[in-house]
Amino acid sequence: MKEKTLKSISKLLVAVMIATIALPSGAFAGHGNYKQDKVMAAEVSIADSEQETTKENTETTKPAEETSTDESSTKETGTDETSTTEESSTTETTTQAPTTEVPTTEAPTINPDFVIENGVLTGYKKAATDTTNKEIVIPASVTKINANVFYQYKYIEKVTFEQGSLLQEIGENAFKECTALKTIELPEGLQIIGIEAYRGCSAVTEIKLPTTIKYIYKRAFYGIKKVKELTLPEGLQKINYHAFYKMTGLTSLTIPSTVTSTYEIIGKGANVTTVTFANGMTKVPNRVLLNANSVKKVILPETLTSIGYQAFSGCTQLSTIKMVQTIKKIGESAFKNCTSLKKLTLYKTVKTIGANAFAGATNLTLKVYSNSAGKKYARVNNIPWEYTDSEKERMAEDLRVYDMLVNSGIQSVKDKYILLSLKNYVPQGTCVIGKYIVVSMYHKNLTAKSILLIYDKRGNFVKKLKLTIKDHVGSVTNVKKNLVVGINNLPGAVDKVGIITYKKLLKAKNGKTIKFSYRVTLRGCADFAAFDGTHFWAGRSANSNSCLMYGYRVKRNKKTKRLTFTNQYNLYVPANTQGLVVNKISATERKFTLSQSYGRIADSYLMVYEPVNIVTASALDTPVKTVVLPSMLEGICVSGKKTYVVFESAAGKYCSNQDNTSEIQIDKVKVIKTWKLLALN
């Protein structure tokens, strides 16, 4: 019996395999689980084999028929067969992959009370008088809330925005007079808050603006009195008229650096006392705090360069504002009627001040600097002014330096070497040649001939000689008993020196014109110059860090008796060099002393350098000694143990304009023993 049962099972398995193979090729098409389909096919084959009714079994090949016959004959062993079939089916089922179900997402339910057209919320169907209408949720798909949509909905307490909100604009009056609304928290992406959008929302205690906001239009938050803090994000560009008017809970406000357009954003009757302009701002916008009569303190950033039109006009309680040194421009009426403002510092960096900038600021005294636009503005407009404390200290120090120079000078010539023609002429270079001290001078407008003033060594005036040129003459130097005058030393002009023999200088009469014996073209100009016995050193006095000084080998032509200048060495020297002394140490070493000055009130310097190798050096190093001298030092000359120094500070060109003047006017050639000069300071 057991053997018979095993034989029946074997025949049954063969039948299952044949039936599976005999299924049409499309039987598995479209199914996602191959193993499940295979089991189903096996079950169908068994049933068909048992009943022998299908066309498929009728057309089966002979081996299949035999299998089917044998299978049919084994039906007597139904218990074992059924058990085996169920076991086979169970085994196949346990290896099936789980069926994957596709999740379904429910579409968001949009409040049917909203009227939305192409992303724009244009209406709300519920009545404004509906007392149950306390909370609304704005769908994420809304890009704009139109004007007046929730105007006077007095029972709305909370407005939220769905996650992923696409809202960009809230229109005019959109939530105006929603008097029960408690907070305003707006979604990222919002850029525009329209005119009076939240005006009169008197219950609001908190406003949170997104970082994307760019425009807040007029009266947007008018009359929201319970908000005590308001953060305006960087990126905000425009705040319009009375945007924060009557927000009496605010006591301070910070204006982002990105704000460029404003107009009376607070106005009268507010409680904001401190306004800070964020770091990074370059201009205080026009009219930003116009009529903000509660503001007492303003804090400006170090990045600021200008203050706009009417920026603080009408800030009648403004008493504290610290100006910064980066400001270049103050706009028209900027501080008009700031009646509580008592002191305001205008730094030298301020170059432009608009009309009526301080009109009506009746208690104001401007603190200014010499030769500044602030001082001139105050004087012209009859505004009280005084020098800043630092400026007073500087001026006192300048006087000390001047007194020290005068007191150290050779007393016998203290009141000698008086410079003449200063009204129209400007002193430049000086030198000692023979029995004379010579000073070169050019006409202030370059419209008259340059001149030479000649003094004896006791400081007495000898004569004034006119040159044949109207150029900006520079240095005068004694080179092998010839007076070498720097001429044509203007930008773009040919650089030359004019040569006057000492013999010719002696013969010249006072007031007469003296002609150059000849001229020599140089590689560079001779604003400053000196002769060391073999080399003539000269260069341009330029406000630049790349000033070259040229060293020329000087020889006398045996045939013509004229001097020749051959450039051999070049050295970079400091900017604004005005005078030069050279001491020859050896064939290749020189010791240089330079005078340096720039501007009408800045200190001058006498700079002494270590000896340098003129063959290998390319520039002068750091000076080993620096002496501070009064402003506008020009030519210097050493003769024996004495040093002669000339200043241009007394020239009418520099001291006739009270708004741009030299403060300490030295109208004489100063003579001082060299060792005393170097010991000053």
Side-chain angles (χ1 to χ4, degrees):
M1 181 67 180
K2 184 176 181 180
E3 183 178 349
K4 186 177 181 180
T5 301
L6 291 173
K7 188 175 182 180
S8 298
I9 291 172
S10 299
K11 290 181 178 181
L12 178 61
L13 290 174
V14 171
V16 169
M17 292 175 63
I18 292 173
T20 301
I21 294 170
L23 283 173
S25 60
F28 300 137
H31 292 279
N33 192 319
Y34 172 78
K35 290 184 178 181
Q36 184 177 7
D37 292 344
K38 184 175 180 181
V39 172
M40 291 173 63
E43 291 174 349
V44 170
S45 298
I46 293 170
D48 291 346
S49 177
E50 290 175 343
Q51 296 176 14
E52 299 180 344
T53 58
T54 64
K55 181 180 179 181
E56 184 178 355
N57 283 341
T58 303
E59 297 175 351
T60 304
T61 59
K62 186 174 182 179
E65 288 177 355
E66 291 176 355
T67 303
S68 179
T69 302
D70 291 342
E71 184 179 341
S72 178
S73 65
T74 61
K75 288 180 70 176
E76 295 177 0
T77 60
T79 303
D80 293 339
E81 182 183 344
T82 303
S83 174
T84 304
T85 304
E86 288 176 354
E87 182 179 346
S88 175
S89 177
T90 302
T91 302
E92 290 287 337
T93 302
T94 58
T95 61
Q96 293 181 28
T99 303
T100 302
E101 295 184 3
V102 180
T104 58
T105 303
E106 293 185 7
T109 302
I110 296 179
N111 190 331
D113 295 321
F114 290 139
V115 180
I116 301 175
E117 300 175 4
N118 297 322
V120 179
L121 180 56
T122 59
Y124 189 53
K125 295 178 182 179
K126 281 192 175 183
T129 55
D130 186 346
T131 59
T132 65
N133 192 25
K134 296 182 181 296
E135 182 176 348
I136 58 174
V137 179
I138 306 298
S141 60
V142 171
T143 59
K144 178 181 178 181
I145 300 174
N146 248 6
N148 305 305
V149 172
F150 300 104
Y151 180 31
Q152 290 186 335
Y153 275 71
K154 299 181 182 296
Y155 299 101
I156 294 177
E157 297 179 359
K158 185 176 182 181
V159 177
T160 57
F161 299 85
E162 283 186 346
Q163 187 175 0
S165 174
L166 300 177
L167 187 66
Q168 295 183 17
E169 180 178 352
I170 296 175
E172 183 176 348
N173 303 325
F175 294 95
K176 183 177 179 179
E177 295 180 19
C178 289
T179 53
L181 187 63
K182 295 179 180 179
T183 61
I184 298 172
E185 186 170 353
L186 302 173
E188 288 295 319
L190 180 69
Q191 297 185 25
I192 300 171
I193 300 175
I195 297 171
E196 298 191 1
Y198 289 93
R199 177 175 178 169
C201 294
S202 54
V204 169
T205 59
E206 184 178 25
I207 298 174
K208 291 184 178 180
L209 299 174
T211 60
T212 53
I213 195 70
K214 287 183 170 55
Y215 308 105
I216 300 176
Y217 283 96
K218 61 183 181 180
R219 297 186 291 271
F221 300 108
Y222 184 118
I224 299 180
K225 300 179 179 181
K226 295 183 179 181
V227 171
K228 295 183 179 180
E229 293 183 2
L230 179 61
T231 300
L232 302 177
E234 286 291 321
L236 179 61
Q237 297 175 12
K238 182 173 184 177
I239 309 173
N240 218 322
Y241 180 70
H242 282 185
F244 311 123
Y245 189 58
K246 291 190 177 180
M247 292 185 69
T248 53
L250 289 178
T251 58
S252 64
L253 193 64
T254 296
I255 310 298
S257 67
T258 50
V259 172
T260 57
S261 177
T262 59
Y263 182 22
E264 197 173 341
I265 65 174
I266 297 174
K268 296 180 179 179
N271 289 323
V272 174
T273 58
T274 302
V275 176
T276 301
F277 292 88
N279 192 44
M281 178 175 282
T282 57
K283 178 185 177 181
V284 173
N286 296 342
R287 295 174 169 173
V288 59
L289 295 181
L290 177 63
N291 295 325
N293 60 2
S294 65
V295 174
K296 297 180 180 180
K297 182 178 181 180
V298 167
I299 300 173
L300 302 176
E302 295 291 339
T303 53
L304 201 65
T305 59
S306 65
I307 296 174
Y309 167 69
Q310 290 187 337
F312 305 112
S313 180
C315 292
T316 54
Q317 291 195 66
L318 178 61
S319 59
T320 303
I321 178 169
K322 183 180 179 182
M323 300 290 276
V324 293
Q325 297 189 41
T326 51
I327 296 175
K328 298 178 181 179
K329 180 179 180 180
I330 298 174
E332 182 180 345
S333 302
F335 293 91
K336 186 176 182 179
N337 295 328
C338 291
T339 52
S340 297
L341 197 58
K342 294 182 179 180
K343 300 285 185 182
L344 191 69
T345 299
L346 300 183
Y347 290 99
K348 289 181 286 187
T349 52
V350 176
K351 302 300 181 185
T352 305
I353 304 174
N356 300 310
F358 307 102
T362 52
N363 295 303
L364 177 64
T365 297
L366 292 175
K367 304 194 76 171
V368 300
Y369 291 80
S370 294
N371 298 343
S372 66
K375 177 186 173 183
K376 180 178 180 179
Y377 189 90
R379 186 186 64 78
V380 171
N381 291 280
N382 297 315
I383 300 171
W385 63 273
E386 64 182 31
Y387 289 119
T388 64
D389 292 343
S390 62
E391 190 71 343
K392 291 175 183 177
E393 291 173 3
R394 180 196 62 77
M395 295 170 74
E397 176 62 15
D398 286 352
L399 284 173
R400 185 192 70 81
V401 170
Y402 171 72
D403 290 340
M404 185 172 54
L405 175 68
V406 171
N407 294 332
S408 299
I410 297 174
Q411 297 302 307
S412 62
V413 294
K414 179 180 178 181
D415 297 320
K416 300 294 185 72
Y417 294 107
I418 298 172
L419 296 170
L420 306 178
S421 304
L422 287 172
K423 181 178 179 180
N424 294 312
Y425 283 85
V426 182
Q428 289 295 283
T430 186
C431 76
V432 177
I433 181 169
K435 64 180 183 179
Y436 291 149
I437 308 298
V438 181
V439 176
S440 61
M441 303 179 78
Y442 71 90
H443 190 270
K444 62 182 180 181
N445 299 322
L446 300 178
T447 55
K449 293 177 180 179
S450 298
I451 62 174
L452 300 175
L453 298 181
I454 311 296
Y455 301 86
D456 64 26
K457 291 188 176 180
R458 293 188 298 273
N460 299 310
F461 172 74
V462 176
K463 53 190 172 184
K464 178 173 72 173
L465 303 176
K466 296 179 183 179
L467 296 174
T468 57
I469 57 172
K470 298 178 181 180
D471 300 309
H472 185 304
V473 295
S475 62
V476 283
T477 311
N478 178 3
V479 180
K480 296 181 180 292
K481 293 187 177 181
N482 289 269
L483 186 68
V484 178
V485 182
I487 58 175
N488 290 326
N489 53 358
L490 294 174
V494 177
D495 297 316
K496 292 184 178 182
V497 289
I499 313 297
I500 301 173
T501 64
Y502 179 57
K503 183 178 180 180
K504 197 171 190 178
L505 194 65
L506 284 171
K507 290 182 177 181
K509 302 296 183 180
N510 180 36
K512 298 298 182 178
T513 298
I514 187 169
K515 295 182 179 180
F516 294 118
S517 302
Y518 55 94
R519 301 184 188 188
V520 178
T521 300
L522 300 180
R523 183 178 177 184
C525 60
D527 289 346
F528 59 90
F531 182 61
D532 65 17
T534 57
H535 287 77
F536 177 74
W537 299 86
R540 179 182 295 281
S541 176
N543 187 24
S544 168
N545 289 324
S546 58
C547 300
L548 267 179
M549 176 174 67
Y550 300 93
Y552 303 90
R553 183 73 165 96
V554 180
K555 292 184 178 181
R556 189 185 300 276
N557 186 294
K558 292 181 180 180
K559 185 176 181 180
T560 63
K561 305 299 182 183
R562 292 186 173 187
L563 301 178
T564 61
F565 297 75
T566 304
N567 179 220
Q568 287 187 329
Y569 309 112
N570 301 321
L571 291 172
Y572 283 102
V573 296
N576 304 309
T577 296
Q578 307 292 347
L580 174 66
V581 173
V582 185
N583 297 108
K584 185 175 180 179
I585 307 300
S586 68
T588 58
E589 281 192 310
R590 301 292 188 276
K591 182 177 181 179
F592 294 95
T593 300
L594 306 179
S595 65
Q596 182 189 54
S597 69
Y598 185 76
R600 303 185 187 194
I601 59 176
D603 289 334
S604 299
Y605 301 98
L606 194 67
M607 300 178 294
V608 182
Y609 293 84
E610 287 280 10
V612 298
N613 187 315
I614 58 175
V615 177
T616 59
S618 60
L620 296 183
D621 206 344
T622 304
V624 294
K625 174 71 176 179
T626 299
V627 179
V628 180
L629 293 174
S631 61
M632 307 194 79
L633 172 62
E634 283 290 322
I636 57 174
C637 172
V638 174
S639 178
K641 296 181 179 180
K642 299 176 183 177
T643 298
Y644 298 80
V645 292
V646 173
F647 296 82
E648 61 181 357
S649 53
K653 179 177 181 177
Y654 299 119
C655 64
S656 59
N657 180 357
Q658 60 181 314
D659 297 315
N660 189 18
T661 184
S662 53
E663 293 172 338
I664 297 174
Q665 295 152 13
I666 302 175
D667 60 356
K668 302 176 182 67
V669 177
K670 291 298 179 182
V671 186
I672 186 171
K673 290 183 178 180
T674 302
W675 71 268
K676 278 191 174 183
L677 179 62
L678 297 179
L680 292 178
N681 307 142

